[in-house]
Amino acid sequence: MCGIIGYIGEEEAAPILLDGLSKLEYRGYDSAGVAVYSKDQGLNVVKAKGRLEVLSRLVDGGKSVHGTVGLGHTRWATHGQPSDINSHPHVSHSGKIAVVHNGIIENYVKLKQFLISKGVAFVSETDTEVVAQMLEYYYEGDILASVAKVLARIEGSYAFGIICSDCPNQLIAARKDSPLILGFGKDCNFLASDVTAILKHTRDVCYLADGDIAVLKQDQVTIYNVDLEPIEKPHSHVDWEISAAEKGGYEHFMFKEIMEQPKAVRDTVSPRIRDGKVVLDSVNLTADYVQNLKRLYIVACGSSYHVGIVAKYTIERLVRLPVEVALASEFRYCNPLVDENTLVVVVSQSGETADTRDAMREAKRLGARTLAVVNVVGSTIAKEADDVIYTWAGPEIAVATTKAYSAQLAVMDLLTLYLGDLKGTLPAPEYDAILGGLQKLPEQIEEILSRKEDIQYYASLYFNNQSVFFIGRNLDYAIGLEGSLKLKEISYVHSEAYAAGELKHGTISLIENGTLVVALATYGTLFDKLMSNVVEVKTRGASVLALTTDSRRVQLEKETANIRPVDHIISIPDAHEILLPSLAVVPLQLFSYYVALLRGCDIDKPRNLAKSVTVE
Ligand code: AGP
């Protein structure tokens, strides 16, 4: 949460900072601010509650704030509600030092009390102001020394950008448990939470590690360890196109990313299939290790967790290995049954989700091998896991994940085949059928996308519903969880995903005339059982929108002609059963998108959310 950027160079900093912040807004968007230094104006801090455009108007697109060095911040509030005062940058009491921060200072109350006892007056409710004030408290003319002292006293997570008006020819960056990169430009240098913010200016970057401190000057960057000893760090080249992080003519990133799913799945799958086999170059599991595994854990949050639920069904079915799926925030504190015979798979688009990262660390501590499925290259989870499989979905900007989710599902299918092969549980014909099916997914997703107007129509019928249920069994239930989350996070419609057979144990009491029930009926084996549950809700007045396969649609249409168990049918191409979730999720994403559009919601930046959840 929160995006930070810093620039030092020869050009006017403010427009560059604002442009960078516009790429970071997905990380938080309740307020924004910049601090820019110039000889004439000193340290000029402008910040405002609201979206970046509010700040941008205040500074006339950056034209009214002069100086060639500065910091910017876009906020997702933790300590103190969104307000002008609580916005970053925060400055020390003399106005000499400004700080932008992503993370949480856990011991800020103690430090604040200490500073208050020394006569320091605070203006905001934030944890970050404590850092600005402490920097000044320890400052004796050497800002780097002061930074080192403050870092030694604070607990928690941080990515900092710091500027001091006594030495305006430099910016300081420091990180622990929050992402921070450096960018090396021509006659300029950058710090940022994410490469998207600086890609316009440079592709030459360096990922800071925990404990790193960097001093950025216009023509030189020095990186230090916690003891302030200079260290060398490798540079990385970012090779994806700038257009990948831009809307490219679409009204919303979410819609663009939905439409990019065929490519995301193809890019993720194709390079990993060679000579009819799954090849995972970055994974080093042996047949012995897999055969001796007692249990596999999948640990993640939100949509990535839902990927885990799908994978539990497929891995247990095809690899015959017990799979526990755990919410990362719970796993960490439940004394999990994990040891060296457990493989812990962590799934994270951002690779920076604090709960998932810390759950992974806990698993490692307990002796498990960890395998990460991650989209963001160079992210903390990717770096710390024993093995990594990247989802090559490209940058995902919309807060609601779509293409990264689909790429994660594809990776879990690859992993299932890989493990099944090593464990010897997958007969060759089934292995080949799934592999062939996986390769066909991109074109099948394209086919579903070409039918999007049908889904738009159903959204227009139901966008005013206050409550929606997604019911399904087995893999259909797993996909219902994601459909339900998509709908609530972007359209603010209350929805629940329920295992269809469980409804009658209580929740069915919520079904009344006109309640929309989305019946997920792609899973052939349980189709008839699911339809019995559909009849139960229909009898109680529900409107039923069924999602099934093309071939079952024919059957359902025949039945609906006489007894109308469903009101409308959406269908997806037929595929191997374990691959159906990859297809079924697409209409559900589109449905949520169109409902949110009709309800006038801010689709790419839903209220209260942020893309990368770097706090516990
Ligand atoms: C889904 O649309 C959400 N944005 C959210 O649930 C997300 O999947 C979750 O926060 C986990 O993020 P990660 O994959 O980056 O770890």
Side-chain angles (χ1 to χ4, degrees):
M1 349 280 273
C2 301
I4 71 172
I5 181 166
Y7 167 81
I8 182 160
E10 289 176 341
E11 291 177 48
E12 285 290 319
I16 293 172
L17 297 174
L18 290 174
D19 180 66
L21 288 179
S22 73
K23 306 290 187 297
L24 294 175
E25 244 194 324
Y26 72 90
R27 303 181 66 86
Y29 34 82
D30 58 47
S31 48
V34 289
V36 177
Y37 176 87
S38 73
K39 258 192 204 143
D40 303 339
Q41 297 181 327
L43 205 48
N44 193 353
V45 177
V46 187
K47 51 190 192 173
K49 176 184 166 184
R51 295 286 162 91
L52 183 61
E53 63 210 41
V54 178
L55 173 72
S56 190
R57 270 198 304 275
L58 269 180
V59 296
D60 192 14
K63 291 197 225 63
S64 68
V65 179
H66 298 291
T68 59
V69 54
L71 298 167
H73 187 272
T74 177
R75 180 172 188 243
W76 186 87
T78 56
H79 296 62
Q81 62 184 17
S83 69
D84 293 353
I85 291 287
N86 287 334
S87 310
H88 299 215
H90 287 281
V91 287
S92 60
H93 66 272
S94 71
K96 189 181 282 202
I97 299 168
V99 179
V100 289
H101 171 212
N102 170 30
I104 287 185
I105 307 303
E106 287 166 2
N107 59 340
Y108 85 105
V109 173
K110 209 169 100 196
L111 298 174
K112 191 168 179 174
Q113 280 162 352
F114 166 75
L115 290 167
I116 290 171
S117 75
K118 301 285 177 195
V120 177
F122 282 79
V123 294
S124 81
E125 302 156 88
T126 65
D127 52 339
T128 307
E129 191 190 349
V130 173
V131 176
Q133 303 289 18
M134 280 204 94
L135 283 168
E136 180 145 333
Y137 177 78
Y138 283 122
Y139 181 65
E140 289 172 337
D142 179 351
I143 186 67
L144 186 58
S146 168
V147 168
K149 280 187 189 147
V150 172
L151 296 186
R153 289 209 61 185
I154 58 179
E155 290 162 18
S157 58
Y158 52 80
F160 287 131
I162 297 163
I163 184 168
C164 174
S165 58
D166 283 351
C167 39
N169 62 339
Q170 65 177 39
L171 293 174
I172 296 186
R175 91 151 251 180
K176 179 175 164 278
D177 289 341
S178 287
L180 191 57
I181 58 151
L182 304 180
F184 309 96
K186 190 169 177 313
D187 300 322
C188 62
N189 288 304
F190 299 84
L191 63 92
S193 299
D194 180 354
V195 286
T196 50
I198 58 171
L199 204 54
K200 214 182 229 182
H201 309 280
T202 180
R203 290 169 176 280
D204 183 13
V205 303
C206 165
Y207 297 91
L208 291 185
D210 284 353
D212 288 351
I213 305 169
V215 176
L216 292 82
K217 300 191 171 168
Q218 185 199 321
D219 54 359
Q220 180 197 343
V221 175
T222 314
I223 305 175
Y224 300 90
N225 63 18
V226 273
D227 300 318
L228 292 188
E229 294 161 344
I231 51 172
E232 293 294 324
K233 299 214 68 122
H235 288 205
S236 303
H237 181 78
V238 181
D239 51 14
W240 43 264
E241 292 305 316
I242 297 177
S243 60
E246 289 179 344
K247 278 193 203 154
Y250 289 98
E251 197 180 340
H252 297 102
F253 276 112
M254 182 181 177
F255 192 69
K256 177 182 178 240
E257 288 160 7
I258 288 174
M259 300 304 282
E260 283 172 348
Q261 289 181 109
K263 177 170 164 32
V265 173
R266 191 177 290 117
D267 289 353
T268 299
V269 169
S270 300
R272 276 134 176 176
I273 297 180
R274 281 177 232 146
D275 303 325
K277 278 270 180 205
V278 172
V279 181
L280 300 177
D281 287 328
S282 52
V283 177
N284 293 306
L285 306 183
T286 61
D288 258 7
Y289 171 81
V290 173
Q291 277 155 15
N292 287 322
L293 273 179
K294 284 207 209 100
R295 187 195 306 259
L296 190 142
Y297 257 102
I298 303 175
V299 183
C301 304
S303 295
S304 300
Y305 168 77
H306 296 157
V307 167
I309 310 251
V310 173
K312 174 183 167 71
Y313 286 113
T314 55
I315 294 174
E316 287 192 339
R317 171 172 153 175
L318 299 172
V319 189
R320 307 308 298 160
L321 185 64
V323 179
E324 300 280 342
V325 191
L327 289 164
S329 52
E330 291 296 316
F331 176 90
R332 291 179 61 190
Y333 302 111
C334 72
N335 198 3
L337 294 169
V338 165
D339 59 21
E340 61 282 3
N341 290 320
T342 317
L343 176 62
V344 175
V345 178
V346 293
V347 186
S348 176
Q349 185 284 130
S350 61
E352 298 292 350
T353 301
D355 286 320
T356 310
R357 177 201 63 210
D358 292 347
M360 182 180 76
R361 288 177 182 168
E362 175 65 3
K364 285 185 116 175
R365 194 186 65 77
L366 294 169
R369 188 178 182 98
T370 55
L371 186 158
V373 178
V374 175
N375 195 44
V376 177
V377 176
S379 55
T380 306
I381 291 174
K383 279 196 278 192
E384 292 186 16
D386 296 311
D387 303 281
V388 187
I389 310 178
Y390 280 111
T391 47
W392 286 319
E396 190 179 64
I397 309 296
V399 165
T401 180
T402 52
K403 64 174 180 172
Y405 173 89
S406 287
Q408 288 170 345
L409 277 186
V411 163
M412 294 312 259
D413 290 332
L414 289 167
L415 184 63
T416 303
L417 292 175
Y418 176 84
L419 293 174
D421 191 29
L422 286 178
K423 192 145 187 267
T425 50
L426 249 175
E430 184 149 34
Y431 183 99
D432 294 343
I434 297 170
L435 200 69
L438 252 175
Q439 288 167 296
K440 264 173 67 184
L441 281 180
E443 70 195 65
Q444 292 185 311
I445 295 173
E446 260 155 31
E447 167 66 27
I448 297 167
L449 293 172
S450 75
R451 305 175 189 176
K452 59 185 178 307
E453 280 74 20
D454 296 347
I455 296 155
Q456 188 169 18
Y457 169 68
Y458 296 128
S460 77
L461 299 182
Y462 293 111
F463 75 98
N464 268 327
N465 275 45
Q466 290 308 309
S467 188
V468 178
F469 286 82
F470 291 77
I471 62 168
R473 286 169 176 262
N474 202 281
L475 286 167
D476 281 330
Y477 164 57
I479 218 67
L481 290 166
E482 178 59 8
S484 170
L485 178 62
K486 284 282 90 77
L487 187 66
K488 53 193 154 206
E489 74 179 323
I490 61 165
S491 71
Y492 318 143
V493 172
H494 171 258
S495 85
E496 304 254 1
Y498 243 78
E502 183 64 14
L503 262 190
K504 56 187 171 293
H505 297 289
T507 310
I508 202 165
S509 63
L510 292 170
I511 305 288
E512 52 188 14
N513 263 346
T515 305
L516 176 62
V517 174
V518 179
L520 301 165
T522 71
Y523 192 62
T525 323
L526 294 169
F527 181 80
D528 290 335
K529 295 222 177 288
L530 190 271
M531 289 317 291
S532 303
N533 302 128
V534 166
V535 173
E536 287 159 13
V537 295
K538 193 73 193 139
T539 309
R540 285 155 181 85
S543 303
V544 178
L545 174 59
L547 172 60
T548 190
T549 56
D550 286 345
S551 59
R552 287 196 186 275
R553 178 189 195 117
V554 177
Q555 178 188 342
L556 209 47
E557 272 170 349
K558 268 193 218 139
E559 291 170 7
T560 53
N562 303 321
I563 46 168
R564 295 189 60 76
V566 303
D567 296 277
H568 314 284
I569 305 171
I570 299 170
S571 64
I572 54 172
D574 289 81
H576 189 287
E577 271 186 355
I578 80 146
L579 301 174
L580 287 169
S582 291
L583 302 178
V585 74
V586 179
L588 301 184
Q589 296 165 342
L590 286 165
F591 183 74
S592 303
Y593 174 79
Y594 288 124
V595 167
L597 196 62
L598 288 162
R599 291 171 71 92
C601 298
D602 193 344
I603 292 177
D604 286 338
K605 298 183 191 113
R607 68 186 179 206
N608 304 337
L609 295 177
K611 180 88 181 152
S612 179
V613 186
T614 52
V615 295
E616 236 194 283

